[in-house]
Amino acid sequence: MKKIGLSLSAYLVALSIGYAQQPYSLSWRVSPNDTTGKQFDIVLKNNQNETLDLSTYDLWFNSNYHLKEQEQAKYKISDENGNLYRVNFTEAIRLKNRDSLLLTYKTDFPITHTSISPNGFYLQSRKDPSKVIALPNPEIAAPKLSTEKHVKMLADLFDKNALFQGTNTQLILPTPQSITASAGQYELKKGFSYYIDATIAQELSTVLNEVAQDFSAWSLKNVDQPKNAQLAIEKVDGLADDAYQLSVDAKGVRLHASHAKGAFYGLQSLLSLFPANFQAGQSISLPFVMVQDAPRYAYRGLMLDISRNFKDLQTLKKYVDVMARYKLNKLHLHLIDDEGWRLEIPSLPELTQIGANRTPQYADGSGIQPSYGSGASVKEKQYLSKEEFKELLRYANERFVTVIPEVETPGHARAAVKAMEARYHRLLKAGQKEEAERFLMNDFQDTSTYYSAQYWQDNVMNPAMPGTYRFIAHIMDEIKAIYAEAGIPLKVISIGGDELPTGSWEGSPLVQALMKEQGYSSVHEVWTYYIDRVHKILKEKELTMAGWEEVGMVNRGKGMEVNEAFADRGFLLDVWNNTIGGGQEDLAYKLANAGHNTVFVSASNFYFDMAWDNRFEEPGLTWASKTDLYHAYSLLPESYFANIEYTDRGKPLGKKHFEDKTRLTAAGAKHLKGLKGALWAETVLDNDAMDYMIFPRFFALAERAWAPASEWESEANFDKKAFDKTYAGFIDKIGKQELPKLRSFAGGFHYRLPAVGLKAKDGKVWANAEYPGFPIQYTIGSDANTKPFPEGGLSLKAGEKIQVFTIDVDGRKGRVSHYTK
């Protein structure tokens, strides 16, 4: 990412914008007279009678875009590491009641989405740093589009929505390996009889009790013979542990499995046939079907980053529930990063005392600095306790979900490095020098200069320090012990390994000594030394080492490339780098073909922190893609190039662009172990935001990870019409059935509602939604009363303005589309 120059002018302006509820308010906007989209205003307003003397305060904030340091007569702006910035006012600036301070700055490229605007603002006294004034919830004003662009955007969305107005609804989500439907329906009425094999019932007791709660008012009858049951779950021989057979016919419902896991997945398919809110009904009509099913991939995962913005135990349990419902089986927890350590390790209390505590008081050593909007807020216990983690492990295991912990090394490790540095100083002061150095991971003589992907300059473990390897070994032992106490074996652990900043280690005398000792001519060779040494630690502990793609790569002087020498180590690589037009679209295939076990974590399709589309109000980042539901669904895991014709920015690429790219071989396909979605949490500040970003795109991940390959899933056979028809059935299923189920499932999810496309034709305005199942409503002018949007179009008078949106049964509104005739 480019560095951004900043030009800042500060002066007092009297703005008659009324009183706010809080003592000081702050807003951000594109500068009114700017024509480039690269100049912005920050406005700080004093809403109280007491004058605010800014000459005694600094203004702090976070920015996802890097800002260059500047110093001028009246102020200076400094980079305080990572994405934290400080504005120091060097002249006396006094804000009286209703006075405002306007700060104007420029960037090298536009801020396109709300999540990229600066946040986490606070004022801190220089005389008394404990005095902090929070400036929460800044008002963000969206850039204005021209009328022509706005109208075209709404019309383009309308045309895209119109392509998928299908009538065939997908029956089961995710699609089974084999499903045959026939004419007829079987009706389960209140009081229906059921039978469950005793062995299966015992192994699934927890989840069956949860299902039973949904039928608590149905007065079900348990019978002791399957032949007497309308719904029978029977144990049979010969099926794989995750396979099942399901039939619905005139005789009733029969679910066959050889193992509890298969019965569990069959039960999820049966529930997928149920309508939303079936609990409140009197009967359930099920179509006649014959299903034989097993997953396409053994690894079907979701990665949740709880380091950047913490998510608690109840939230994680809720996500385990929804993963299990849609047959995902690997929860990859990104527990540790630069901005937070989120797992209690009692033997190293600083990891959570310091590494989980983001505070404006970080300069006194009590924590780490604010990041990603945390600002002045200091939240209590932003980590999972040991007991909570054990509870999560057991909870997930009961639902056939394996929790894979990630301990980021050697980069993205600032929280750990700083925590162990605090431990070092504590013990050194106590005269315990040897113990102080035991887990120290930074060389104090290191003069290396680098910027990490998130602009940190001190976030890397030093591979020449014994403390680094002692720390890693100790943490692995501690985590393995937690799993053992929970009664769950730990088999796989991720060491991260991604995005080591260029320039790392080059100025470390200890690394230079290591290179001389090993006969290395380049610091790049230290990378494989580090990976090899950590692998040996994990191998001794009988752990499979997982990590991001770089773990299986090497820099031979021309950038990172596949490291064939490590292919026999049994690493499990999470491969994310496939951005369209970025040049690495085939990296997952290269690594798999070379013999590396890979999990495809497509940044282009399944990075759920990416923005949905071009609209400014859609949250998320855009560096990998703009990913709406169709784009997420478009991933063909083993034939990535079959349906790619354009980048997400609209630049035509054509088939020839990918002619020289590596394709997945038959041998490589055996090493493609599965798929995973990922939610990085830099812009995801709370649970509602997480739900919004993940759903409904989550369903595309579940479908691709479980469902068999379609006959058109190849470059030779790809059929866009068939693909679009399948997609129409898919969105019909999720819009009319699966999303409404999430309203109350596992405590409820605040999923994204579909946006509305609008188009003028035949003298009327027409509307349609991105996916069905949600009524389209509108208001006109300043009238707040909502009305159903007419199916036959809406006639407007010249100058009339309408606001159009979808709603759910609770009255939640989707994104508003504005239109003026």
Side-chain angles (χ1 to χ4, degrees), residues 538-557:
L538 268 63
K539 188 176 181 180
E540 290 173 358
K541 301 178 188 304
E542 299 181 326
L543 295 172
T544 294
M545 190 168 91
W548 297 100
E549 60 206 35
E550 291 95 328
V551 170
M553 301 178 75
V554 61
N555 189 335
R556 298 186 176 99

Side-chain angles (χ1 to χ4, degrees), residues 445-465:
Q445 305 305 313
D446 190 351
T447 60
S448 301
T449 300
Y450 59 82
Y451 274 104
S452 76
Q454 284 75 33
Y455 308 112
W456 296 103
Q457 302 164 54
D458 56 355
N459 73 332
V460 178
M461 298 175 174
N462 191 299
M465 296 190 68

Side-chain angles (χ1 to χ4, degrees), residues 553-602:
M553 301 178 75
V554 61
N555 189 335
R556 298 186 176 99
K558 296 182 180 179
M560 296 295 278
E561 56 187 83
V562 175
N563 187 356
E564 295 85 356
F566 280 177
D568 63 352
R569 303 294 179 88
F571 299 161
L572 185 62
L573 303 182
D574 293 317
V575 187
W576 60 268
N577 190 0
N578 70 327
T579 55
I580 301 170
Q584 294 286 349
E585 297 91 343
D586 56 357
L587 181 57
Y589 298 161
K590 285 181 177 178
L591 287 162
N593 290 350
H596 284 286
N597 295 327
T598 63
V599 177
F600 201 173
V601 196
S602 172

Side-chain angles (χ1 to χ4, degrees), residues 10 53-56 73-75 88-94 126:
D53 183 0
L54 285 174
S55 65
T56 66
K74 297 182 179 181
Y75 71 91
N88 171 223
F89 304 103
T90 55
E91 273 198 6
I93 298 174
R94 298 171 62 82
R126 291 200 299 277

Side-chain angles (χ1 to χ4, degrees), residues 194-251:
Y194 71 94
Y195 167 88
I196 304 175
D197 174 87
T199 303
I200 290 176
Q202 183 176 5
E203 293 187 56
L204 297 183
S205 59
T206 300
V207 293
L208 287 173
N209 286 336
E210 291 173 355
V211 174
Q213 292 176 13
D214 289 333
F215 288 98
S216 59
W218 279 55
S219 303
L220 303 186
K221 300 173 184 176
N222 183 212
V223 297
D224 58 4
Q225 293 293 325
K227 63 182 180 181
N228 299 328
Q230 293 171 272
L231 188 160
I233 301 177
E234 302 177 68
K235 189 171 184 178
V236 299
D237 294 329
L239 296 179
D241 67 346
D242 50 8
Y244 69 91
Q245 298 169 340
L246 174 67
S247 66
V248 180
D249 56 27
K251 297 179 181 179

Side-chain angles (χ1 to χ4, degrees), residues 170-174 267-275 325-326 733 737-738 741:
Q170 183 173 321
L171 287 176
I172 295 173
L173 196 159
L267 182 60
Q268 307 316 310
S269 289
L270 177 60
L271 292 171
S272 186
L273 289 171
F274 287 10
R325 174 57 58 91
Y326 295 96
K733 173 71 170 173
Q737 295 181 24
E738 301 310 314
K741 290 175 184 177

Side-chain angles (χ1 to χ4, degrees), residues 48-118:
Q48 63 177 4
N49 292 326
E50 183 180 346
T51 297
L52 175 64
D53 183 0
L54 285 174
S55 65
T56 66
Y57 283 89
D58 291 333
L59 173 66
W60 299 76
F61 64 94
N62 296 129
S63 172
N64 275 300
Y65 286 176
H66 190 259
L67 310 178
K68 287 182 179 178
E69 294 189 326
Q70 285 196 10
E71 184 169 359
Q72 294 187 11
K74 297 182 179 181
Y75 71 91
K76 64 178 180 180
I77 183 165
S78 56
D79 176 353
E80 299 298 327
N81 208 1
N83 65 359
L84 182 65
Y85 297 90
R86 174 171 58 174
V87 179
N88 171 223
F89 304 103
T90 55
E91 273 198 6
I93 298 174
R94 298 171 62 82
L95 287 185
K96 297 181 180 179
N97 173 245
R98 301 185 71 181
D99 277 348
S100 294
L101 175 68
L102 174 66
L103 311 175
T104 299
Y105 68 94
K106 293 182 178 180
T107 65
D108 286 343
F109 49 93
I111 292 179
T112 57
H113 289 75
T114 179
S115 296
I116 310 174
S117 60

